[in-house]
Amino acid sequence: MPLIQEKLAPPPLPLSLVARPRLNDRFVLDERIRVLVVQAPPGYGKSTLVAERLPALEQRAAWLRLDERDDEPARFAGYFHAALATLCGDSPVGEPVASAFLPHDGRGFSDAVEAWLTALPDAAEPCRLVIDEFEHLSHPEILAGLSHWLRHQPTWLTLTLVSRTHPALGLPALRLRGELEEIGLTELAFDLEEAQTLCAEQLSFPPTRVSLERALRRTEGWVMALAWLIERTTTRAGFDSLVDRLDGAHPDFVAWFDDLLQQTLDEPERRLLLQLGVLERFSPALVARLVEGDRIFQRLEALERQGLFLQRLDPHDQWFRFHRLFAGYLRHRRDELSPETQCRLHRRASQAWLALNDPAMALGQAIEANDPAALAALLEGHGPHLLANGHFSLMARALASLGDTRIAASPHLTLLHGWVTHAQYQFSRTRQAIDWIEAQLETPAWQELAAEFATLRAQLAINQGDAERAAPLAEQALILPARYLAATPATAAALLGESRFVQGHLDESLQRVREVEREAGRIDDDQLRLWSLCHQSETLVAQGRLQAAFDIQERAIAHVERSGLDRLPVSEFLYRIRSQLLWEWHRLDESEQAALKGIAVLDNQGERWSLQCHISLAKVAQARGDQAQCADHIRRLRKILAEGDYHIDWQANAHATLLAWWQSTEDLDAVARWWQEAPPGDPATASNHFAQCNLRNHARALTLLGRHDEAHALLTALEAQTERLGLVTDANRNRLCLAALEWQRGRHEAALEHLAQALELASRTALIGSFLRLGRPLGEMLPALLATDRLDDLAQARARRLVELAGRQRDFGRGVRLMLDESVIADIVARPDVPELIRTSPLTRREWQILGLIHAGLSNEQIAEQLAVAPTTIKTHIRSLYQKQNIRRREEAIALAGDLLARIQGE
């Protein structure tokens, strides 16, 4: 039988190859391991992984790539024998193996296997026999022969199977004996570093970390889907937009999934998939309640073996879920079922989830079941549980499907509507709920919930900045019996503590919130306990006790991990304040990671809820001098701000970051426009950190606009409040603003005095980020201050540390100006301490320019705009530059440029 030689060679590697050394441990040649199985649905890079890793690890291998025609014993035997002969061709046993017989004269594949095993030696150099696309094999004789092969395979040979489906070769027994190594969908999914490499290879712009992580979450690291995203975008904004719209119902994915199911499933199993598509996760017991028929567990196992994007939630459990994009496809194709069938499935699913005591999953199904009475009953009956577990978006969908008329007629639904809209910052809708309450409060059914209603009204008053009104409402709620929401007394106590915080009574607030923490622990309210820990941290920060605040956050993180709150919206509060504190301590990588965690928590809630975390990312990018990334975060900030109505705390924090950006880019027109529309404030009522921040923003804008006297008066008034109320951290930041103001107006002695006081306060607060935010003036003031005798030893040490950090900071555009200077380039090349590659593989002037622009933080797209050339030209220059300097990643180019600049600047 003639053989196609291409099938006996590894597949060609793609041009844009992402090496995956993190999986090297899975390829260790161990005589205990008989078989390595690389199994996942199509598009996960299985064959590419094996074809790239084996040569990289210097593992000798022979390949056999199958197709659908090879599921015939004689044909498969011919190819298997050829692959085996190739593997042994250079060894002394090559001739016996090559001459071993093929199936003929009535002797079958199992006899051939026996002959081949007999011809193989007991000892040889370790090597692999790779069978690719194993899913094409189903013939019983072939599978029986290969099972026999595995039982007697010599220890120096490892069979490597690459397959979409689970090979039917007795793998469970091999797994139990420790003779099986497996690489599955979870391991094959791209991680962040691999996705970054793929983007760097194929895109002329680097997506932001936020966008790339969102893409990874929505594709679950599916390589084919990531490649699809990359191929269809040419700008960063386009990438973001496509990620937001990424779903399994996209026509490209629908057509692809249709083909896949047509090739692998018959009609009854395809219909089972559509029925399962109504569920987010499922077990055989749950499916048995949903779907009529026998052998449910066996049918689920059969689907799992087909490799159809069906995953176990836990390898040791019987719960399953679909890949996110495949689930979207099934929802799209669910319309093939009649509307009556769909409603019936959803009703059954809702009842099944209630039987399993999971009201959140039951509610999601009830929304789709088109039964308003059942939906309202479920909400009223399980609303307290759903609120306590943070299912705000789900409840919002349920309430919206009921409509205002039905909600307003029920005190319980109105109360739930008020809390849900509050949790989603829809304060006008919360006000609407309170209007309904106040109009019917004298009705007996509504009067029963007086405590709950008073608590909701107190919460809205706090959000509107009216602590004076919130406090008596919270006190009223504390003396009334709670009849629906068991956590009402603890929530009212928390609001009373928060009102004291807003009023500037920090010690009383801290004491009350600690009591709330104890009560939350007593009633087992994990969310309220986390909130209380976060509020304690915020209060301690306001008092200048950042280390104590950090310790509280450590307790909160342990509580989140212990209680499983890491996916609920309330945990974003923790990650947000964690990021803010770490930025202040100049622990930028950790600050960025905390902000990204907060965004991940809220990914399904919509971008507007993650405003605070985007603020942190912008601050981190600016602190690093990364202009391109900072510009993208600023663009997002402005977009999010324009789409929502936020508490002054969020607004003030965002505006402070915008002002810092405009200052760094010298955009005084933007500062002036902001000043015209800025939220108003009164120093006399600046009794908390957000009111202080808002007015400090006013003062910074006035300073930048040259209105020095107005800025000075405002900051002086703020200082009086911080001293009266013990707002130590705000006092520290205000002093820094005063120092910058006086330095700008030429009153250097006064500036140094304010800076000295700020350093003294920093001995308590440990602020760093707020100092560095001053930019270039800080680098001018600190040496002048150190030359005087005003600082004690601790303040001097802090000042010297700040001098060091300020020297490392990179102003936007600095790298561009330095690297475009030909005299600087000549000086670098002439230095004896520069890398040898710079001299032996000299860069062209254009390559020097591009290296400098990369170092300045510009994307390929921005570099093309800067140099007025096409992005493809920039990619060509970068490829040449990387080859000359043996660079593989953009980070290495940035590090090289930074090293060269450091040498020439003597830093």
Side-chain angles (χ1 to χ4, degrees), residues 187-439:
E187 294 79 20
L188 289 166
F190 264 26
D191 63 15
L192 178 63
E193 183 177 349
E194 290 162 346
Q196 287 173 327
T197 302
L198 184 66
C199 290
E201 289 285 338
Q202 299 193 34
L203 290 177
S204 62
F205 60 92
T208 64
R209 176 85 175 267
V210 174
S211 296
L212 198 51
E213 288 200 358
R214 181 175 289 125
L216 281 171
R217 286 192 294 272
R218 300 198 173 183
T219 62
E220 298 188 23
W222 185 19
V223 183
M224 189 173 77
L226 285 169
W228 178 86
L229 270 173
I230 290 169
E231 288 170 3
R232 280 156 181 77
T233 53
T234 56
T235 65
R236 185 181 285 112
F239 185 89
D240 294 348
S241 176
L242 193 54
V243 169
D244 289 338
R245 292 182 286 114
L246 180 61
D247 184 74
H250 188 283
D252 287 357
F253 288 104
V254 168
W256 190 86
F257 283 130
D258 280 346
D259 286 346
L260 178 66
L261 296 190
Q262 188 173 6
Q263 293 168 15
T264 54
L265 294 181
D266 56 21
E267 182 57 30
E269 299 313 298
R270 187 170 179 273
R271 184 174 179 82
L272 175 62
L273 270 185
L274 294 179
Q275 293 173 316
L276 294 177
V278 307
L279 301 169
E280 291 184 33
R281 61 178 188 270
F282 48 89
S283 66
L286 181 65
V287 175
R289 293 173 178 267
L290 180 72
V291 179
E292 297 174 354
D294 299 326
R295 302 179 63 254
I296 293 298
F297 184 66
Q298 290 85 347
R299 293 176 74 188
L300 283 178
E301 283 191 324
L303 287 177
E304 185 186 18
R305 285 194 298 271
Q306 288 296 325
L308 289 174
F309 299 90
L310 181 63
Q311 307 166 45
R312 290 181 185 261
L313 293 175
D314 184 320
H316 311 295
D317 207 347
Q318 298 298 334
W319 281 90
F320 299 84
R321 73 172 183 87
F322 291 114
H323 183 284
R324 180 170 178 162
L325 291 177
F326 191 60
Y329 161 77
L330 292 177
R331 283 193 298 272
H332 172 74
R333 279 296 184 217
R334 199 170 59 205
D335 289 337
E336 294 180 17
L337 304 173
S338 70
E340 294 78 12
T341 298
Q342 292 185 52
C343 288
R344 184 174 65 253
L345 285 170
H346 287 301
R347 281 196 297 272
R348 286 182 178 177
S350 182
Q351 293 162 2
W353 279 118
L354 280 177
L356 293 172
N357 197 30
D358 193 330
M361 298 300 294
L363 182 62
Q365 295 298 328
I367 293 170
E368 305 291 339
N370 195 25
D371 186 346
L375 178 59
L378 196 159
L379 269 174
E380 290 189 347
H382 295 276
H385 172 86
L386 294 164
L387 275 182
N389 287 278
H391 298 294
F392 305 122
S393 293
L394 179 62
M395 295 178 73
R397 284 176 49 215
L399 290 162
S401 69
L402 288 176
D404 287 356
T405 301
R406 187 181 289 269
I407 295 170
S410 164
H412 298 93
L413 293 179
T414 298
L415 179 66
L416 296 175
H417 173 65
W419 280 115
V420 167
T421 53
H422 155 261
Q424 297 193 310
Y425 311 112
Q426 297 171 346
F427 300 136
S428 62
R429 295 280 284 164
T430 309
R431 177 71 257 174
Q432 178 190 49
I434 290 174
D435 288 342
W436 295 340
I437 291 166
E438 292 176 345

Side-chain angles (χ1 to χ4, degrees), residues 731-894:
N732 206 161
R733 290 168 176 157
N734 292 339
R735 285 288 170 187
L736 288 170
C737 285
L738 282 165
L741 167 64
E742 299 292 12
W743 191 262
Q744 180 173 318
R745 71 197 299 188
R747 297 170 56 177
H748 291 180
E749 187 61 28
L752 296 182
E753 181 59 34
H754 286 304
L755 185 59
Q757 293 179 30
L759 285 165
E760 182 182 344
L761 284 168
S763 297
R764 295 165 59 188
T765 64
L767 299 191
I768 295 175
S770 291
F771 278 84
L772 295 175
R773 204 176 213 178
L774 295 184
R776 190 178 296 110
L778 181 69
E780 298 168 351
M781 286 189 283
L782 283 171
L785 182 58
L786 283 168
T788 69
D789 194 24
R790 302 184 187 185
L791 303 178
D792 59 26
D793 291 344
L794 191 58
Q796 281 189 25
R798 182 169 296 280
R800 284 192 288 271
R801 169 67 173 154
L802 286 167
V803 168
E804 177 188 352
L805 291 173
R808 292 182 193 170
Q809 280 200 306
R810 186 156 53 91
D811 292 337
F812 294 159
R814 174 176 164 200
V816 176
R817 290 194 300 274
L818 282 169
M819 296 304 284
L820 288 178
D821 188 334
E822 287 198 18
S823 64
V824 171
I825 296 171
D827 198 352
I828 288 175
V829 174
R831 293 175 66 91
D833 58 345
V834 300
E836 185 65 24
L837 274 174
I838 290 289
R839 283 191 287 272
T840 58
S841 300
L843 304 180
T844 64
R845 171 179 167 73
R846 181 64 92 192
E847 288 164 356
W848 275 109
Q849 290 176 318
I850 290 172
L851 183 62
L853 293 166
I854 289 173
H855 180 255
L858 275 65
S859 67
N860 290 7
E861 189 179 42
Q862 292 168 321
I863 293 172
E865 292 177 2
Q866 179 90 7
L867 301 181
V869 297
T872 53
T873 303
I874 296 301
K875 290 182 74 171
T876 302
H877 285 302
I878 288 176
R879 191 177 300 114
S880 171
L881 177 131
Y882 282 14
Q883 289 173 347
K884 287 182 179 180
Q885 298 305 312
N886 195 25
I887 291 171
R888 294 184 60 230
R889 297 170 60 87
R890 201 175 193 90
E891 289 79 3
E892 295 176 27
I894 293 171

